[in-house]
Amino acid sequence: MTSFASNVFCRVERVCRHLPVVLNTFLVFSITGEVSYLVLVEAPLEADQKKTEWSAWWKAVHLLAQYFMLGNICWNASLFLKTSPSIRGVFLGGEGMGQGWRYCYTCETHTPPRCSHCYDCKVCVLRRDHHCVFFGQCVGFRNYRYFLSCLLFMWSGLLYAVVMNAEVFIVILKEGVTVHSVLLLLIPWIMLVSGWIRFVRKTQHNVVRNVTECISRSNSTQVWCVSSGCDINKAAVPPLSPGQVSARAFAFAFIADTCVVGFLLVSAFLFFHVFLLLRGQTTREWYSSRRPYNLGVVGNLRHGLGLHWYLCWLSPLIPSPLPGDGLHFQVTGSLEPVR
Protein backbone atom coordinates (compact mmCIF):
# COMPACT_ATOMS: atom_id res chain seq x y z
CA MET A 1 0.00 0.00 0.00
CA THR A 2 2.85 2.36 0.87
CA SER A 3 4.62 1.57 -2.40
CA PHE A 4 1.44 2.25 -4.40
CA ALA A 5 0.90 5.60 -2.65
CA SER A 6 4.52 6.52 -3.26
CA ASN A 7 4.24 5.74 -6.98
CA VAL A 8 1.06 7.78 -7.28
CA PHE A 9 2.67 10.70 -5.47
CA CYS A 10 5.72 10.57 -7.74
CA ARG A 11 3.55 10.59 -10.87
CA VAL A 12 1.44 13.47 -9.60
CA GLU A 13 4.59 15.39 -8.72
CA ARG A 14 6.01 14.77 -12.19
CA VAL A 15 2.81 15.99 -13.85
CA CYS A 16 2.62 19.09 -11.64
CA ARG A 17 6.24 19.89 -12.44
CA HIS A 18 5.49 20.06 -16.17
CA LEU A 19 2.11 21.75 -15.79
CA PRO A 20 3.46 25.35 -15.78
CA VAL A 21 5.38 24.66 -19.00
CA VAL A 22 2.27 23.28 -20.69
CA LEU A 23 0.17 26.21 -19.46
CA ASN A 24 2.72 28.77 -20.66
CA THR A 25 2.90 27.12 -24.07
CA PHE A 26 -0.88 27.11 -24.36
CA LEU A 27 -1.15 30.80 -23.42
CA VAL A 28 1.64 31.86 -25.79
CA PHE A 29 0.09 30.14 -28.80
CA SER A 30 -3.46 31.20 -27.84
CA ILE A 31 -2.44 34.85 -27.69
CA THR A 32 -0.51 34.50 -30.95
CA GLY A 33 -3.53 32.95 -32.68
CA GLU A 34 -5.87 35.64 -31.40
CA VAL A 35 -3.60 38.49 -32.51
CA SER A 36 -3.08 36.81 -35.89
CA TYR A 37 -6.84 36.70 -36.29
CA LEU A 38 -7.05 40.42 -35.48
CA VAL A 39 -4.41 41.24 -38.09
CA LEU A 40 -5.68 38.97 -40.87
CA VAL A 41 -9.45 39.33 -40.48
CA GLU A 42 -10.32 42.46 -38.56
CA ALA A 43 -7.68 45.06 -39.39
CA PRO A 44 -7.59 47.66 -40.74
CA LEU A 45 -10.88 48.84 -39.28
CA GLU A 46 -11.88 51.22 -42.10
CA ALA A 47 -13.78 49.41 -44.85
CA ASP A 48 -12.15 51.42 -47.65
CA GLN A 49 -8.69 50.31 -46.54
CA LYS A 50 -9.33 46.59 -46.24
CA LYS A 51 -8.61 45.83 -49.92
CA THR A 52 -5.85 48.37 -50.55
CA GLU A 53 -2.17 47.67 -51.12
CA TRP A 54 -1.43 49.45 -47.84
CA SER A 55 -3.56 46.91 -46.03
CA ALA A 56 -1.57 44.00 -47.48
CA TRP A 57 1.76 45.55 -46.49
CA TRP A 58 0.38 46.44 -43.06
CA LYS A 59 -0.64 42.86 -42.42
CA ALA A 60 2.65 41.47 -43.74
CA VAL A 61 4.72 43.71 -41.47
CA HIS A 62 2.58 42.90 -38.44
CA LEU A 63 2.70 39.15 -39.06
CA LEU A 64 6.46 39.26 -39.65
CA ALA A 65 7.04 41.09 -36.36
CA GLN A 66 4.63 38.84 -34.51
CA TYR A 67 6.16 35.55 -35.64
CA PHE A 68 9.68 36.90 -35.22
CA MET A 69 8.86 37.41 -31.53
CA LEU A 70 7.14 34.02 -31.29
CA GLY A 71 10.11 32.27 -32.89
CA ASN A 72 12.53 33.91 -30.48
CA ILE A 73 10.37 33.00 -27.49
CA CYS A 74 10.16 29.34 -28.50
CA TRP A 75 13.82 29.03 -29.51
CA ASN A 76 15.16 30.72 -26.38
CA ALA A 77 12.85 28.66 -24.19
CA SER A 78 13.99 25.47 -25.93
CA LEU A 79 17.68 26.29 -25.51
CA PHE A 80 17.06 27.31 -21.91
CA LEU A 81 15.57 23.89 -21.15
CA LYS A 82 18.25 22.01 -23.09
CA THR A 83 21.18 23.88 -21.53
CA SER A 84 21.92 22.42 -18.12
CA PRO A 85 23.29 24.94 -15.60
CA SER A 86 24.25 22.22 -13.09
CA ILE A 87 27.67 20.94 -12.03
CA ARG A 88 27.14 17.64 -13.86
CA GLY A 89 30.07 17.01 -16.18
CA VAL A 90 32.15 19.79 -14.60
CA PHE A 91 35.47 18.94 -12.95
CA LEU A 92 35.46 20.30 -9.41
CA GLY A 93 38.47 20.25 -7.15
CA GLY A 94 42.20 20.27 -7.67
CA GLU A 95 44.32 23.31 -6.92
CA GLY A 96 41.67 25.74 -8.11
CA MET A 97 39.73 25.68 -4.87
CA GLY A 98 40.03 28.83 -2.81
CA GLN A 99 38.00 31.45 -1.01
CA GLY A 100 34.25 31.05 -1.41
CA TRP A 101 34.28 27.28 -2.06
CA ARG A 102 31.96 25.18 0.07
CA TYR A 103 31.06 21.54 0.54
CA CYS A 104 27.60 20.29 -0.48
CA TYR A 105 26.62 17.35 1.71
CA THR A 106 23.76 16.43 -0.63
CA CYS A 107 25.89 16.20 -3.79
CA GLU A 108 28.92 15.16 -1.72
CA THR A 109 31.33 17.45 -3.52
CA HIS A 110 32.99 20.83 -3.21
CA THR A 111 31.15 23.64 -4.96
CA PRO A 112 32.57 26.93 -6.30
CA PRO A 113 31.49 30.45 -5.29
CA ARG A 114 27.96 31.56 -6.26
CA CYS A 115 26.97 27.90 -6.64
CA SER A 116 24.15 26.47 -4.53
CA HIS A 117 22.04 23.35 -4.29
CA CYS A 118 18.54 23.27 -5.80
CA TYR A 119 16.22 20.84 -4.05
CA ASP A 120 13.82 20.88 -7.01
CA CYS A 121 16.47 19.99 -9.58
CA LYS A 122 18.27 17.82 -6.97
CA VAL A 123 21.70 19.11 -8.01
CA CYS A 124 24.04 22.06 -7.42
CA VAL A 125 23.81 24.83 -10.03
CA LEU A 126 26.68 27.04 -11.17
CA ARG A 127 26.07 30.72 -10.38
CA ARG A 128 22.55 29.83 -9.42
CA ASP A 129 20.06 32.67 -9.77
CA HIS A 130 16.75 30.99 -8.91
CA HIS A 131 14.55 28.04 -9.79
CA CYS A 132 12.05 29.13 -12.43
CA VAL A 133 8.73 27.41 -11.76
CA PHE A 134 7.36 28.49 -15.14
CA PHE A 135 10.04 26.50 -16.96
CA GLY A 136 10.68 23.89 -14.30
CA GLN A 137 14.43 24.45 -14.33
CA CYS A 138 17.05 26.54 -12.57
CA VAL A 139 18.48 29.72 -14.05
CA GLY A 140 22.26 29.57 -13.84
CA PHE A 141 25.57 30.36 -15.47
CA ARG A 142 25.05 28.67 -18.84
CA ASN A 143 21.38 29.38 -19.56
CA TYR A 144 20.96 32.88 -18.12
CA ARG A 145 21.22 34.47 -21.56
CA TYR A 146 18.34 32.39 -22.95
CA PHE A 147 16.20 33.08 -19.90
CA LEU A 148 16.64 36.84 -20.14
CA SER A 149 16.14 36.88 -23.93
CA CYS A 150 12.96 34.83 -23.55
CA LEU A 151 11.68 37.32 -20.98
CA LEU A 152 12.51 40.21 -23.30
CA PHE A 153 10.58 38.80 -26.26
CA MET A 154 7.69 37.72 -24.05
CA TRP A 155 7.50 41.30 -22.78
CA SER A 156 7.61 42.67 -26.35
CA GLY A 157 4.99 40.21 -27.56
CA LEU A 158 2.61 40.92 -24.69
CA LEU A 159 3.02 44.67 -25.18
CA TYR A 160 2.16 44.19 -28.86
CA ALA A 161 -0.85 42.04 -27.95
CA VAL A 162 -2.09 44.60 -25.41
CA VAL A 163 -1.93 47.35 -28.05
CA MET A 164 -3.75 45.19 -30.59
CA ASN A 165 -6.47 44.36 -28.04
CA ALA A 166 -6.76 47.91 -26.74
CA GLU A 167 -9.82 48.55 -28.91
CA VAL A 168 -11.79 46.00 -26.92
CA PHE A 169 -11.34 48.17 -23.84
CA ILE A 170 -11.77 51.50 -25.64
CA VAL A 171 -15.06 50.64 -27.34
CA ILE A 172 -16.60 49.27 -24.16
CA LEU A 173 -15.67 52.42 -22.27
CA LYS A 174 -17.16 54.56 -25.02
CA GLU A 175 -20.41 52.62 -25.17
CA GLY A 176 -20.99 52.68 -21.44
CA VAL A 177 -19.40 51.50 -18.23
CA THR A 178 -21.30 49.03 -16.08
CA VAL A 179 -20.24 46.74 -13.27
CA HIS A 180 -20.74 43.72 -15.51
CA SER A 181 -18.67 45.10 -18.39
CA VAL A 182 -15.79 46.16 -16.15
CA LEU A 183 -15.69 42.81 -14.34
CA LEU A 184 -15.84 40.92 -17.64
CA LEU A 185 -12.68 42.66 -18.77
CA LEU A 186 -10.83 42.59 -15.46
CA ILE A 187 -11.66 39.15 -14.07
CA PRO A 188 -13.53 37.10 -16.70
CA TRP A 189 -12.41 33.73 -15.28
CA ILE A 190 -13.77 34.59 -11.82
CA MET A 191 -17.09 35.63 -13.34
CA LEU A 192 -17.21 32.36 -15.27
CA VAL A 193 -16.54 30.23 -12.19
CA SER A 194 -18.96 32.20 -10.00
CA GLY A 195 -21.78 31.90 -12.53
CA TRP A 196 -21.97 35.58 -13.47
CA ILE A 197 -21.42 34.59 -17.11
CA ARG A 198 -23.77 32.32 -19.04
CA PHE A 199 -22.95 31.48 -22.63
CA VAL A 200 -25.58 31.88 -25.33
CA ARG A 201 -25.74 30.25 -28.73
CA LYS A 202 -25.26 32.27 -31.86
CA THR A 203 -28.50 32.59 -33.84
CA GLN A 204 -29.17 33.73 -37.35
CA HIS A 205 -29.99 37.19 -36.03
CA ASN A 206 -26.63 37.67 -34.33
CA VAL A 207 -24.01 39.41 -36.42
CA VAL A 208 -20.56 38.08 -35.63
CA ARG A 209 -18.02 39.68 -37.92
CA ASN A 210 -15.97 42.00 -35.72
CA VAL A 211 -14.27 41.25 -32.43
CA THR A 212 -14.98 44.74 -31.15
CA GLU A 213 -17.38 44.19 -28.28
CA CYS A 214 -20.04 46.73 -27.45
CA ILE A 215 -22.80 47.00 -24.93
CA SER A 216 -26.20 47.98 -26.27
CA ARG A 217 -29.33 48.55 -24.25
CA SER A 218 -32.54 47.30 -25.71
CA ASN A 219 -35.71 47.58 -23.64
CA SER A 220 -33.58 48.17 -20.53
CA THR A 221 -31.85 44.81 -21.02
CA GLN A 222 -28.08 44.59 -21.33
CA VAL A 223 -27.07 42.62 -24.40
CA TRP A 224 -23.53 41.72 -25.40
CA CYS A 225 -23.21 41.73 -29.15
CA VAL A 226 -20.56 42.05 -31.82
CA SER A 227 -20.87 45.09 -34.04
CA SER A 228 -20.08 44.99 -37.74
CA GLY A 229 -20.92 48.52 -38.74
CA CYS A 230 -24.63 47.84 -39.07
CA ASP A 231 -27.43 49.57 -37.20
CA ILE A 232 -27.98 47.52 -34.06
CA ASN A 233 -31.43 49.00 -33.53
CA LYS A 234 -32.56 47.48 -36.83
CA ALA A 235 -31.10 44.06 -36.10
CA ALA A 236 -33.42 41.51 -34.60
CA VAL A 237 -31.70 40.52 -31.37
CA PRO A 238 -33.59 38.17 -29.06
CA PRO A 239 -33.87 39.46 -25.50
CA LEU A 240 -31.25 38.07 -23.15
CA SER A 241 -31.07 38.16 -19.42
CA PRO A 242 -28.32 40.21 -17.79
CA GLY A 243 -25.00 38.41 -17.61
CA GLN A 244 -25.44 36.42 -20.81
CA VAL A 245 -22.57 36.70 -23.28
CA SER A 246 -21.47 34.80 -26.33
CA ALA A 247 -18.60 32.36 -26.04
CA ARG A 248 -16.75 34.51 -28.58
CA ALA A 249 -17.15 37.63 -26.43
CA PHE A 250 -15.84 35.83 -23.38
CA ALA A 251 -12.88 34.34 -25.29
CA PHE A 252 -11.66 37.71 -26.55
CA ALA A 253 -12.24 39.37 -23.17
CA PHE A 254 -10.33 36.53 -21.50
CA ILE A 255 -7.37 36.78 -23.88
CA ALA A 256 -7.26 40.59 -23.68
CA ASP A 257 -7.27 40.40 -19.90
CA THR A 258 -4.61 37.68 -19.90
CA CYS A 259 -2.41 39.91 -22.09
CA VAL A 260 -2.65 42.80 -19.62
CA VAL A 261 -2.01 40.66 -16.53
CA GLY A 262 0.81 38.78 -18.26
CA PHE A 263 2.39 42.02 -19.45
CA LEU A 264 2.46 43.42 -15.90
CA LEU A 265 3.97 40.24 -14.46
CA VAL A 266 6.58 39.82 -17.18
CA SER A 267 7.49 43.52 -16.91
CA ALA A 268 8.20 43.10 -13.21
CA PHE A 269 10.37 40.00 -13.82
CA LEU A 270 12.23 41.54 -16.78
CA PHE A 271 13.07 44.88 -15.16
CA PHE A 272 14.10 43.17 -11.93
CA HIS A 273 16.54 40.85 -13.72
CA VAL A 274 17.92 43.66 -15.88
CA PHE A 275 18.50 45.59 -12.67
CA LEU A 276 20.36 42.62 -11.16
CA LEU A 277 22.37 42.05 -14.35
CA LEU A 278 23.62 45.64 -14.42
CA ARG A 279 24.63 45.35 -10.75
CA GLY A 280 26.46 42.06 -11.23
CA GLN A 281 24.19 40.20 -8.83
CA THR A 282 21.97 37.14 -8.82
CA THR A 283 18.59 36.89 -7.16
CA ARG A 284 20.15 35.11 -4.19
CA GLU A 285 22.78 37.87 -3.85
CA TRP A 286 20.25 40.67 -4.09
CA TYR A 287 19.42 40.32 -0.40
CA SER A 288 22.98 41.32 0.47
CA SER A 289 24.26 44.89 0.43
CA ARG A 290 27.64 43.66 -0.85
CA ARG A 291 28.48 43.50 -4.54
CA PRO A 292 31.85 41.74 -4.71
CA TYR A 293 31.35 40.62 -8.33
CA ASN A 294 30.38 44.01 -9.76
CA LEU A 295 32.55 44.69 -12.85
CA GLY A 296 30.75 47.77 -14.09
CA VAL A 297 27.84 47.91 -16.51
CA VAL A 298 29.70 46.66 -19.59
CA GLY A 299 31.65 44.03 -17.63
CA ASN A 300 28.47 42.70 -16.02
CA LEU A 301 26.76 42.49 -19.41
CA ARG A 302 29.70 40.56 -20.88
CA HIS A 303 29.82 38.08 -18.02
CA GLY A 304 26.05 37.60 -18.02
CA LEU A 305 25.22 37.51 -21.74
CA GLY A 306 28.57 36.75 -23.34
CA LEU A 307 31.14 38.57 -25.44
CA HIS A 308 28.55 39.59 -28.04
CA TRP A 309 26.06 40.92 -25.49
CA TYR A 310 25.06 43.80 -27.78
CA LEU A 311 23.83 41.38 -30.49
CA CYS A 312 22.90 38.11 -28.78
CA TRP A 313 19.47 39.38 -27.66
CA LEU A 314 18.36 39.64 -31.31
CA SER A 315 18.45 35.88 -31.86
CA PRO A 316 19.56 32.79 -29.94
CA LEU A 317 21.40 31.70 -33.10
CA ILE A 318 23.99 34.47 -32.65
CA PRO A 319 27.00 32.94 -30.84
CA SER A 320 28.03 34.73 -27.66
CA PRO A 321 30.57 32.71 -25.66
CA LEU A 322 30.80 33.45 -21.96
CA PRO A 323 34.18 34.78 -20.79
CA GLY A 324 34.29 32.65 -17.63
CA ASP A 325 33.87 29.02 -16.69
CA GLY A 326 31.31 29.38 -13.89
CA LEU A 327 33.89 28.28 -11.31
CA HIS A 328 36.09 31.33 -10.90
CA PHE A 329 34.92 34.92 -10.80
CA GLN A 330 36.78 38.19 -10.70
CA VAL A 331 36.31 39.72 -7.25
CA THR A 332 36.19 43.49 -6.87
CA GLY A 333 35.06 43.66 -3.25
CA SER A 334 35.20 41.86 0.06
CA LEU A 335 33.55 38.47 0.32
CA GLU A 336 33.33 38.71 4.08
CA PRO A 337 29.90 39.51 5.54
CA VAL A 338 29.37 43.05 6.76
CA ARG A 339 29.32 43.23 10.55
Side-chain angles (χ1 to χ4, degrees):
M1 184 65 183
T2 305
S3 177
F4 174 76
S6 178
N7 292 334
V8 172
F9 177 78
C10 291
R11 292 184 179 180
V12 172
E13 183 184 13
R14 193 179 299 113
V15 171
C16 292
R17 186 176 300 176
H18 293 87
L19 188 61
V21 179
V22 175
L23 180 60
N24 285 335
T25 304
F26 173 75
L27 290 177
V28 167
F29 282 94
S30 296
I31 294 174
T32 302
E34 187 259 359
V35 176
S36 298
Y37 176 84
L38 291 178
V39 172
L40 291 173
V41 179
E42 302 301 333
L45 299 177
E46 288 75 11
D48 58 341
Q49 295 179 344
K50 285 187 177 291
K51 297 183 179 180
T52 62
E53 183 179 356
W54 178 88
S55 174
W57 278 104
W58 185 92
K59 293 181 178 181
V61 171
H62 274 267
L63 290 177
L64 180 63
Q66 178 183 346
Y67 285 97
F68 173 75
M69 291 184 287
L70 176 64
N72 271 282
I73 292 173
C74 296
W75 207 294
N76 278 294
S78 176
L79 290 177
F80 171 79
L81 294 174
K82 290 181 179 179
T83 306
S84 174
S86 71
I87 62 173
R88 293 191 180 103
V90 178
F91 176 74
L92 303 174
E95 298 179 356
M97 291 189 298
Q99 187 180 20
W101 284 71
R102 293 176 298 177
Y103 187 82
C104 177
Y105 289 93
T106 305
C107 295
E108 298 182 347
T109 183
H110 289 89
T111 58
R114 314 182 82 178
C115 178
S116 63
H117 188 85
C118 176
Y119 291 94
D120 293 309
C121 298
K122 298 179 176 59
V123 69
C124 286
V125 176
L126 296 175
R127 202 187 68 184
R128 180 172 179 261
D129 190 277
H130 70 284
H131 182 86
C132 182
V133 296
F134 297 104
F135 287 105
Q137 181 167 286
C138 271
V139 180
F141 176 73
R142 298 192 192 96
N143 60 3
Y144 187 79
R145 165 200 171 178
Y146 304 121
F147 170 76
L148 196 63
S149 297
C150 188
L151 273 184
L152 174 63
F153 281 101
M154 287 180 67
W155 179 83
S156 303
L158 285 170
L159 176 61
Y160 174 79
V162 168
V163 173
M164 293 297 294
N165 283 280
E167 190 185 2
V168 176
F169 301 95
I170 295 174
V171 173
I172 289 181
L173 293 177
K174 286 183 178 180
E175 296 294 334
V177 179
T178 63
V179 175
H180 183 267
S181 62
V182 172
L183 290 179
L184 179 62
L185 287 176
L186 295 180
I187 45 176
W189 51 83
I190 295 180
M191 295 183 68
L192 178 64
V193 173
S194 61
W196 279 44
I197 291 179
R198 293 184 299 276
F199 293 135
V200 296
R201 292 183 177 180
K202 181 174 62 175
T203 64
Q204 60 181 356
H205 303 294
N206 297 119
V207 181
V208 186
R209 294 180 183 175
N210 196 325
V211 298
T212 304
E213 307 294 346
C214 68
I215 300 177
S216 65
R217 293 180 175 84
S218 176
N219 299 327
S220 300
T221 301
Q222 294 181 358
V223 180
W224 276 88
C225 64
V226 182
S227 64
S228 62
C230 64
D231 189 354
I232 298 178
N233 296 324
K234 295 180 180 179
V237 180
L240 302 175
S241 60
Q244 285 186 322
V245 298
S246 65
R248 182 191 181 96
F250 171 78
F252 279 100
F254 179 85
I255 293 178
D257 182 48
T258 302
C259 291
V260 174
V261 175
F263 173 74
L264 296 176
L265 291 176
V266 173
S267 297
F269 284 123
L270 175 64
F271 295 142
F272 176 67
H273 280 283
V274 170
F275 170 77
L276 293 178
L277 175 63
L278 298 179
R279 288 168 57 94
Q281 290 181 308
T282 62
T283 301
R284 299 181 70 254
E285 298 167 348
W286 175 64
Y287 299 101
S288 174
S289 59
R290 297 177 295 110
R291 290 188 288 164
Y293 304 104
N294 184 18
L295 303 177
V297 173
V298 177
N300 294 333
L301 289 172
R302 290 177 72 251
H303 279 75
L305 302 179
L307 299 177
H308 301 150
W309 59 269
Y310 46 88
L311 289 176
C312 68
W313 59 272
L314 289 173
S315 172
L317 299 178
I318 299 177
S320 184
L322 295 170
D325 56 2
L327 303 178
H328 307 90
F329 299 92
Q330 182 179 349
V331 179
T332 58
S334 175
L335 294 175
E336 297 297 329
V338 180
R339 296 181 180 178

